[in-house]
Amino acid sequence: MNINKNIAVSDSGFVFNSTTGESFSVNPIGVEIIELLKQDLTIEQVNQNLLERYNADIVTIDKDVSDFISLLEQYSLIDKQDAA
Amino acid sequence: MRPKIKIAVTGLNAIDNPGPGVAVIRGLLEAKSFEATIIGLAYESLEPGIYMHELVDKTYQIPYPSAGTELLFERLEYINDQESIDVIIPNFDAELFSFIKLEAKLKALGIHTFLPTPEQFEERLKTNLPDFGKKYDIDVPKSETIYSLSDFSKISSDYDWPVVVKGKYYDAGIAYNFEQVQMYFNKISAKWGLPIIIQEFAHGTEFNVTGVGDGNGNAISIVPMRKQYITDIGKAWGGIAITDQKLIDLTKHFIKETNWRGGFELELMKNKEGKFYLLEINPRIPAWVYLAVGVGQNIPEMITNLALGKEVAPVTKFEAGKMFIRYSWDMIVDLEEFEKISTTGEL
């Protein structure tokens, strides 16, 4: 799964898509997930990474990450062929 | 040392629906390849650019295009006698054809321009857009030209509501029923004349591209922009430079296929499926051109150098993510200045 290469993410959570000109704000966990996806990690690896660092169970993490990735897809922040 | 060049610029009406003149001048004054002296050419004595003395060295009033090209040429001859102009950059759709027609006569006076050919100007007219799309394989919304409201009645069943009612040069309205078509038809035709264009309403997000073609099919500049803040009449009050490759490729295709000569602005709509529809081609620099200057492509400078017959290397890089945000500014002007431009036609 690849974050669209035209996406810039700042430390403060400001996400800018230079293809469409759209911008978004994400919270610190959102920034972390995007950064992990940028490192070409699979969803399972992202989940595992968050599980090791946060006090939450895998079911909750998996659901939240899936929801967040759906949002990224909806706003074309993930390349569709990669998301499929 | 940079050469000194005297450049005359129209479109000084920096109002809520601004002419491009002031933005063009800002680009010219920031040019690295020459030092510009600016001569303003104004139609009305209240065009704000006339009074911006930090940008415009001297302004002359010129006759409206409706007065004919002969009168315009006489006035330009007079202005040239006073100023020895090197280049003219016209910035209004309605005046462009006059300047295109005068190109050779102006050149004989030593005044250079870099404008589209009469054929390029003609075939991209809103009234010719469907044929243009077909000829150059560019998607355009369905549209038809009408001369009366009864013409609309004949074609109305071919369109879903709403439809866009457009003037041949400026103005457009979105009509949701026949009464609104009637209202826009009367309002726009009273101001800009006939015909009126009925265009299918394209849903989606609006994008604009400005750039320069060298007349031989090469893109000298391309800068795409997404409108971020739109006024009641659909003008961008804020926008952001973007890098959509599809948009850049489409613009290169337009320049290559038409051998476009000069500055331009493409107005496009991107639908949900990501397909672009070309809504309009403006054969001139747009009012938001200072964004292009700000992101590294000084279009007014390029056009000036092309007009002077200089080689201009294509520029493909620009800083995506830079924005422009327009603002209005109240100037305090002495009555004597208004009096001078109103009575003598010069300031």
Side-chain angles (χ1 to χ4, degrees):
Chain A
M1 175 158 311
N2 275 342
I3 288 287
N4 186 326
K5 63 180 183 304
N6 293 317
I7 304 298
V9 187
S10 73
D11 292 343
S12 63
F14 185 80
V15 180
F16 173 62
N17 183 345
S18 71
T19 300
T20 63
E22 290 170 314
S23 53
F24 309 88
S25 284
V26 297
N27 65 18
I29 301 284
V31 177
E32 279 189 50
I33 297 172
I34 290 175
E35 290 303 335
L36 293 169
L37 291 172
K38 273 185 156 181
Q39 294 165 29
D40 284 341
L41 264 61
T42 63
I43 295 178
E44 289 71 30
Q45 288 170 322
V46 171
N47 290 346
Q48 196 55 43
N49 185 298
L50 296 175
L51 183 67
E52 284 164 14
R53 291 186 297 117
Y54 292 98
N55 184 22
D57 61 84
I58 189 70
V59 177
T60 307
I61 288 175
D62 184 47
K63 183 185 172 300
D64 288 353
V65 169
S66 296
D67 287 350
F68 183 66
I69 287 173
S70 299
L71 272 180
L72 296 179
E73 282 174 20
Q74 191 184 324
Y75 292 113
S76 304
L77 299 172
I78 287 178
D79 287 332
K80 278 203 169 145
Q81 66 267 31
D82 294 310
Chain B
M1 206 165 108
R2 295 179 299 163
K4 289 189 174 172
I5 296 176
K6 202 170 263 191
I7 308 161
V9 178
T10 68
L12 305 183
N13 56 329
I15 55 170
D16 57 343
N17 176 15
V22 168
V24 168
I25 293 166
R26 291 181 70 196
L28 293 171
L29 294 177
E30 289 178 22
K32 291 192 171 68
S33 56
F34 54 76
E35 195 179 319
T37 301
I38 305 296
I39 303 300
L41 302 177
Y43 292 99
E44 299 273 355
S45 49
L46 277 176
E47 291 182 24
I50 299 170
Y51 305 96
M52 296 178 178
H53 304 305
E54 69 285 7
L55 299 179
V56 181
D57 294 277
K58 178 148 188 186
T59 300
Y60 293 84
Q61 264 189 312
I62 55 171
Y64 274 106
S66 54
T69 49
E70 263 180 49
L71 212 58
L72 174 65
F73 184 68
E74 274 175 31
R75 182 65 173 156
L76 292 174
E77 246 182 333
Y78 164 79
I79 297 167
N80 195 48
D81 284 344
Q82 318 300 310
E83 303 291 346
S84 296
I85 293 165
D86 297 303
V87 175
I88 289 185
I89 303 183
N91 291 303
F92 281 123
D93 293 9
E95 71 184 5
L96 265 181
F97 198 65
S98 307
F99 281 96
I100 291 171
K101 268 168 76 180
L102 289 175
E103 191 169 0
K105 285 174 88 174
L106 290 172
K107 199 160 188 186
L109 295 180
I111 304 175
H112 302 80
T113 55
F114 196 71
L115 300 170
T117 64
E119 295 74 27
Q120 288 170 344
F121 182 84
E122 198 71 31
E123 72 176 359
R124 59 86 241 170
L125 283 173
K126 289 180 206 177
T127 46
N128 299 333
L129 199 61
D131 293 335
F132 183 94
K134 210 177 284 174
K135 184 175 172 186
Y136 296 115
D137 194 23
I138 295 174
D139 291 315
V140 299
K142 185 168 69 177
S143 70
E144 263 163 278
T145 301
I146 61 168
Y147 288 85
S148 67
L149 282 164
S150 62
D151 283 349
F152 177 70
S153 305
K154 288 176 207 156
I155 60 160
S156 61
S157 60
D158 299 337
Y159 289 83
D160 290 326
W161 297 105
V163 294
V164 186
V165 184
K166 291 183 157 186
K168 63 176 171 179
Y169 291 124
Y170 299 106
D171 264 1
I174 297 168
Y176 288 83
N177 52 46
F178 185 78
E179 284 69 32
Q180 289 180 351
V181 171
Q182 190 173 21
M183 179 187 78
Y184 287 124
F185 182 95
N186 292 333
K187 191 178 145 206
I188 297 172
S189 62
K191 201 167 172 190
W192 299 108
L194 292 170
I196 290 290
I197 296 103
I198 299 294
Q199 192 174 72
E200 175 188 22
F201 180 76
H203 294 268
T205 311
E206 203 177 326
F207 292 86
N208 291 22
V209 185
T210 187
V212 182
D214 70 352
N216 298 312
N218 302 307
I220 300 299
S221 164
I222 294 176
V223 178
M225 178 272 285
R226 177 196 164 121
K227 290 182 182 179
Q228 285 185 302
Y229 189 166
I230 301 174
T231 66
D232 290 347
I233 54 167
K235 302 294 162 187
W237 203 256
I240 188 160
I242 57 162
T243 55
D244 194 315
Q245 196 54 46
K246 262 193 196 171
L247 210 45
I248 293 171
D249 290 344
L250 194 153
T251 308
K252 280 184 182 164
H253 173 78
F254 156 75
I255 294 172
K256 188 171 175 236
E257 292 300 315
T258 61
N259 284 323
W260 190 263
R261 185 174 188 269
F264 64 85
E265 179 193 30
L266 305 183
E267 295 184 12
L268 302 115
M269 194 67 88
K270 185 182 187 180
N271 71 8
K272 271 186 191 164
E273 288 73 42
K275 193 168 175 182
F276 285 102
Y277 286 87
L278 182 62
L279 305 182
E280 247 177 73
I281 304 161
N282 294 317
R284 48 148 180 90
I285 300 172
W288 57 272
V289 72
Y290 194 70
L291 176 68
V293 178
V295 299
Q297 299 199 12
N298 193 332
I299 287 176
E301 180 180 9
M302 292 171 181
I303 288 177
T304 302
N305 283 326
L306 286 163
L308 291 168
K310 294 183 178 163
E311 281 281 320
V312 178
V315 182
T316 52
K317 275 190 185 165
F318 63 89
E319 278 182 80
K322 277 234 160 110
M323 300 160 60
F324 79 90
I325 302 170
R326 202 166 270 168
Y327 68 102
S328 35
W329 180 269
D330 299 341
M331 292 184 290
I332 303 302
V333 174
D334 288 332
L335 185 62
E336 288 74 23
E337 295 206 326
F338 177 63
E339 180 192 327
K340 199 170 172 215
I341 186 78
S342 303
T343 54
T344 67
E346 296 179 22
L347 181 66

